[in-house]
Amino acid sequence: MNHPGQVEGIAVGVDAEGENVPAVVVAARSEYLPIVVTADQARAIQISIAGDAFERPLTHDLLVEMLIEFGGAIDRVRIDDVADGTFYAKVDAERYERGQAQEFVFDARPSDAIALAVRVDCPIEVSDDVLDAAGQPPERFDLGDGGPEPGRGPDDPDRDDFARDPADEDDDVDDFGDLGGLGDR
C-alpha cells in the first residue's frame, strides 16, 4: 500500500562516519522518512520549495519544460523500495498524442523524483515497505517549531522552518541524528 507523502523540508543528519549530510524529509503515514541527498540535490529541492527562481534553468526545471513542450505531464512520484541502504523511486508520467493518453513509468533516484514533484506539484507516495524499513517517529526530528505534525507543509501559516538551507551556517540545522546509511544513490 502507498501512502501520501509531503516534503517537510531539508534537514541535516550524521552519517556512519560522523559527517554532517543533508537529507530531504518526507512525511507519510504519521512518520518521517529522511533520505540522504547531496548538497546540490538538497539545494535543487529547496529552491523549488521556497519558490525561488534561479537565473538559468536548473536540470529539473529544464526536464519539466521539455516534458511539457513535448505534451507530457508528471502524474505522481513513488518512493517504492529500499535495498542495501538505497532508496528507489518511480516517476509516473503520461503524454497525450491525438487525444490518447500514453502512460510511462521511469526509474529514478528519490531526490530527482522529489525535485520534479515539488516543481510540478504532483503527489508523492511512499510504500509501506519503505516506511517499515526506514520511517522514523516525528519526535526524533527538530524542524524548528517544536515538532510539527507530519504533513504540515509550506503553506501552513504557522511554519517558519520550511526549506532550510543546510549550507547556511547562520541557520540552526535540523539534526535528526544517525542515518543508518540510508541514501539515494
Side-chain angles (χ1 to χ4, degrees):
M1 176 176 185
N2 286 341
H3 300 274
Q6 182 169 317
V7 176
E8 290 294 315
I10 303 296
V12 176
V14 180
D15 68 10
E17 288 81 39
E19 298 293 321
N20 287 340
V21 293
V24 59
V25 178
V26 177
R29 198 181 72 180
S30 300
E31 297 177 70
Y32 282 167
L33 179 68
I35 301 172
V36 175
V37 297
T38 67
D40 288 341
Q41 293 164 335
R43 187 170 304 273
I45 293 167
Q46 182 175 350
I47 286 170
S48 185
I49 290 171
D52 294 338
F54 205 72
E55 187 175 313
R56 304 270 301 143
L58 297 175
T59 305
H60 300 102
D61 300 314
L62 176 62
L63 181 59
V64 168
E65 286 180 37
M66 290 173 64
L67 183 66
I68 291 169
E69 186 65 30
F70 290 122
I74 297 172
D75 294 328
R76 69 180 175 164
V77 302
R78 297 176 282 139
I79 303 169
D80 61 354
D81 196 13
V82 60
D84 299 322
T86 300
F87 291 101
Y88 295 87
K90 303 281 188 301
V91 175
D92 295 335
E94 64 184 10
R95 178 181 67 189
Y96 284 89
E97 194 170 301
R98 295 184 212 112
Q100 297 293 322
Q102 292 178 295
E103 295 181 354
F104 301 89
V105 177
F106 300 97
D107 287 322
R109 295 183 307 183
S111 59
D112 291 327
I114 291 168
L116 291 170
V118 297
R119 281 168 171 73
V120 299
D121 195 28
C122 75
I124 298 170
E125 296 179 359
V126 184
S127 74
D128 273 327
D129 290 342
V130 169
L131 290 168
D132 290 345
Q136 298 181 23
E139 304 82 48
R140 186 162 181 214
F141 294 76
D142 177 9
L143 293 174
D145 64 355
E149 290 296 313
R152 280 182 49 195
D155 297 329
D156 188 323
D158 295 327
R159 292 288 301 273
D160 64 357
D161 63 314
F162 199 78
R164 297 225 172 146
D165 184 347
D168 185 351
E169 295 177 292
D170 296 330
D171 238 9
D172 295 328
V173 294
D174 303 329
D175 185 6
F176 51 86
D178 182 8
L179 299 170
L182 294 173
D184 164 282
R185 296 188 254 278

